[in-house]
Amino acid sequence: VNSTCECTADVDFTASIVESTQISGAENTLSVTLSVSGKITGLDPATGTWGVSPGGMEPDDHVKAVVTIAGLTGTLTANNAAHPILCHTTEKGKACSVGTLSSTTGDFVLNTANWNRETGTLKFSVLSEHQEGRDKSELVVTFNVTNRQIAQTAIHPTVAICANEDVNTDADEAPILSASARIILAGVAGTISISKYNETLGEARAVVGIALDT
């Protein structure tokens, strides 16, 4: 299998991202939409080699796209070189395939991405072919992270494809990963603590306690 994945795509794109929940400690599904103007050749699933475009491009001109989503900090999701990820496209009759290289076999593993918790970075290759038509091609990737237990300032992540500059996700959309919501059960007594993370001490400290009666 030709596992070489030098990033060669030079495409214009916009990016947006939404989350499924703001509840602290919950599993949160992130959906990233990439609206791409340009051409991505993709990997031939039959041979495992990079395909040739309809124009018959030479191998060195194969358009390989590596996507980096950065700034997803503060989650509880551990580092994972094969983090599960799914993809679909708005292109009629087309499938979307993504993956990352296996460190042991050198082959691409479908529906996986390289996740780094400390930097909040998710990185993967686009393995399916996408050709710009009358409209932009939209690729939608989804993956799960676990929200932190303590609320934080919400985030606008960035997205990059190859050497293109990072593009801020749509500033008109709500930022994500605040983990600022809690579930309160009716009729259950208890105390809710509101905590603030102390950067100097490296820990969360409760600042307010709210008692709930039944």
Side-chain angles (χ1 to χ4, degrees), residues 186-204:
V188 177
T191 300
I192 297 176
S193 294
I194 299 177
S195 301
K196 181 178 181 181
Y197 190 79
N198 188 305
E199 297 287 350
T200 303
L201 297 177
E203 63 183 26

Side-chain angles (χ1 to χ4, degrees), residues 19 22-28 30 72-80 83 115-121 143-152 155 177-179 182 197 204:
E19 64 182 347
Q22 296 178 347
I23 296 174
S24 58
E27 184 175 73
N28 190 357
L30 304 185
L72 301 170
T73 53
T75 76
L76 300 180
T77 303
N79 292 348
N80 189 350
H83 190 71
W115 165 253
N116 184 290
R117 175 186 173 185
E118 286 71 28
T119 61
T121 301
F143 55 97
N144 294 335
V145 295
T146 301
N147 287 342
R148 57 187 287 154
Q149 295 290 348
I150 304 298
Q152 66 176 2
I155 296 165
L177 299 180
S178 67
R182 294 255 180 174
Y197 190 79

Side-chain angles (χ1 to χ4, degrees), residues 7 37 54 68 75 80 84 86 97 99 113-114 124 133-134 143 148 150 155 162 168 184 196-197 199-200 209 214:
C7 199
S37 295
T68 303
T75 76
N80 189 350
L86 296 176
S97 178
N114 192 308
F124 58 90
R134 179 177 302 176
F143 55 97
R148 57 187 287 154
I150 304 298
I155 296 165
C162 299
N168 285 315
I184 300 175
K196 181 178 181 181
Y197 190 79
E199 297 287 350
T200 303
T214 56

